[in-house]
Amino acid sequence: VYDLEEIKLVVSRDPGGDTSIDAVAPSTLLDQGRAALAAGKPQEAIGSFRRLAAEFPSSRLAPAALYYVGVVLEGLGDVDGAVLAYRDVVARFPTGAESLDAHLRIAGLQAERKDWRAADATLTQVLARGDLDNAARLEAQARKGYVLLEQGRPTEAEASLKAAVATWNRAIHIDDRYYIAMAHYYLAELQHRAFAAVKLRTPLEELKADLVQKEALAAAAYDQWREALELQDPYWALAAGYQMSQIFFELWQTAVTSPFPEGLDPAARTYYTTDVHDRVRRHLTTAFDGHEMNVRLAGAYGVANAWSEASKTRALQLAAILAREAKGEMTAALPPIK
């Protein structure tokens, strides 16, 4: 099979007056750009890629060349330039793999800058494209759910994340599990934030109801984190493993720092505090065991990231709290991870 790509003849004259004719093809310019990158000459590479797109706009390699311009600019730390380059790909080539990758990369860079509104607008454009396969739709829906959550729009975030799960469920097969795990992680985070938002009231019946509500929200979050963990994407599995462990500490801390019920005799407060600590110490033990398991999971994956390192720190801190509790010292403090 021969690829009869377009070729241009370039006539040049050296200082001695001799004329030479060189054949230039898109693949030649692409190879030159790659060679320049390998040689540590990014600007020269950009020049070759842009020349390819300018001189051979109808070549099947033109979208890839323009996409590489964005990649190189990202590598140079020029995020604004990279976004412009990716926009150029989308504008010149509204469909195709490189166009879609560029569109999603724009949203990714905007989210990395915490420009949530811009990322939301870009992902809305992506989801309106007519060339999305299930994998790309899943990615865009999961990303959009995260972006909406960060904008403080939980109802819309939940709808987008659930749409991502639905896309995954109806797809025959999607190789990459990263974005479906991400969707479940942030569905859990929705419940986690609702858990944190519940304020404890002091009338005894209301206090009981608030604690029950917190436990229900914690359980709902745990179930979604477990879904993320079971998908076995290393990053999201360790993130979920950390949170599944930490939510038990948060349940314990909620109980031991809850206000005294109204009408409780001040003389009974010491007994009440000890009783509460005894009742919920199981949460503390579960949190400790979970963080240790997350560290072992990182070893099984052969990776170490911020989540596994945080679990390592938390396990040590929780061991210290358990030791103090065993001595009868009641504490609710846990220092932040630095």
Side-chain angles (χ1 to χ4, degrees), residues 316-328:
L316 292 172
Q317 293 171 340
L318 293 173
I321 293 176
L322 283 165
R324 291 178 64 183
E325 292 245 329
K327 296 176 182 178

Side-chain angles (χ1 to χ4, degrees), residues 133-155:
D133 61 10
N134 282 323
R137 187 175 301 281
L138 167 64
E139 177 178 349
Q141 289 167 331
R143 285 180 178 271
K144 188 174 176 67
Y146 163 61
V147 166
L148 288 166
L149 178 60
E150 292 302 318
Q151 290 183 83
R153 297 158 65 184
T155 302

Side-chain angles (χ1 to χ4, degrees), residues 83-269:
V83 168
L84 288 174
Y86 292 137
R87 288 194 189 282
D88 195 22
V89 180
V90 175
R92 293 201 209 182
F93 305 98
T95 61
E98 291 86 0
S99 171
L100 181 54
D101 287 345
H103 222 162
L104 287 167
R105 194 65 200 123
I106 293 168
L109 290 172
Q110 290 166 334
E112 287 173 19
R113 286 183 157 186
K114 302 188 185 303
D115 190 350
W116 307 121
R117 288 188 179 182
D120 183 15
T122 299
L123 289 165
T124 298
Q125 294 167 4
V126 171
L127 287 166
R129 292 175 62 121
D131 61 342
L132 294 184
D133 61 10
N134 282 323
R137 187 175 301 281
L138 167 64
E139 177 178 349
Q141 289 167 331
R143 285 180 178 271
K144 188 174 176 67
Y146 163 61
V147 166
L148 288 166
L149 178 60
E150 292 302 318
Q151 290 183 83
R153 297 158 65 184
T155 302
E156 295 165 87
E158 183 177 25
S160 187
L161 294 167
K162 285 185 174 179
V165 174
T167 296
W168 170 268
N169 288 337
R170 69 170 172 264
I172 296 174
H173 182 72
I174 297 175
D175 290 324
D176 188 354
R177 297 186 176 194
Y178 182 94
Y179 290 104
I180 182 58
M182 176 183 179
H184 281 294
Y185 180 89
Y186 283 111
L187 281 168
E189 186 59 23
L190 280 164
Q191 301 298 323
H192 189 204
R193 293 188 185 191
F195 164 93
V198 175
K199 303 301 181 185
L200 301 180
R201 296 164 292 177
T202 54
L204 183 57
E205 292 306 313
E206 292 182 3
L207 178 60
K208 288 180 179 179
D210 294 339
L211 290 171
V212 167
Q213 183 182 8
K214 273 188 171 285
E215 287 183 358
L217 290 166
Y222 184 92
D223 288 344
Q224 289 294 341
W225 281 321
R226 184 176 57 192
E227 291 279 355
L229 185 146
E230 291 176 351
L231 285 160
Q232 298 182 350
D233 173 84
Y235 178 84
W236 292 112
L238 294 174
Y242 175 87
Q243 299 289 14
M244 290 166 70
S245 308
Q246 194 63 9
I247 194 65
F248 282 98
F249 170 78
E250 293 177 25
L251 282 168
W252 173 84
Q253 192 173 50
T254 295
V256 300
T257 61
S258 62
F260 291 113
E262 286 184 358
L264 181 67
D265 187 338
R269 289 186 176 186

Side-chain angles (χ1 to χ4, degrees), residues 29-30 32-38 40-54 62 64-78 81-82 85 88 92:
L29 293 171
L30 192 68
Q32 287 175 356
R34 288 171 172 169
L37 270 183
K41 301 176 180 178
Q43 295 300 336
E44 184 178 319
I46 289 173
S48 294
F49 296 144
R50 282 183 168 155
R51 181 183 172 191
L52 189 164
L66 286 177
Y67 183 80
Y68 289 153
V69 171
V71 172
V72 175
L73 289 171
E74 267 197 75
L76 293 173
D78 183 1
D88 195 22
R92 293 201 209 182

Side-chain angles (χ1 to χ4, degrees), residues 266-321:
R269 289 186 176 186
T270 299
Y271 172 79
Y272 176 85
T273 298
T274 300
D275 183 60
V276 169
H277 276 261
D278 288 343
R279 288 175 180 272
V280 298
R281 190 169 292 116
R282 69 187 189 279
H283 291 329
L284 200 59
T285 302
T286 301
F288 170 74
D289 292 342
H291 282 304
E292 284 209 318
M293 288 177 62
N294 207 40
V295 173
R296 291 196 293 272
L297 180 61
Y301 279 127
V303 301
N305 63 15
W307 296 108
S308 61
E309 290 302 307
S311 275
K312 189 181 298 183
T313 300
R314 287 299 190 217
L316 292 172
Q317 293 171 340
L318 293 173
I321 293 176

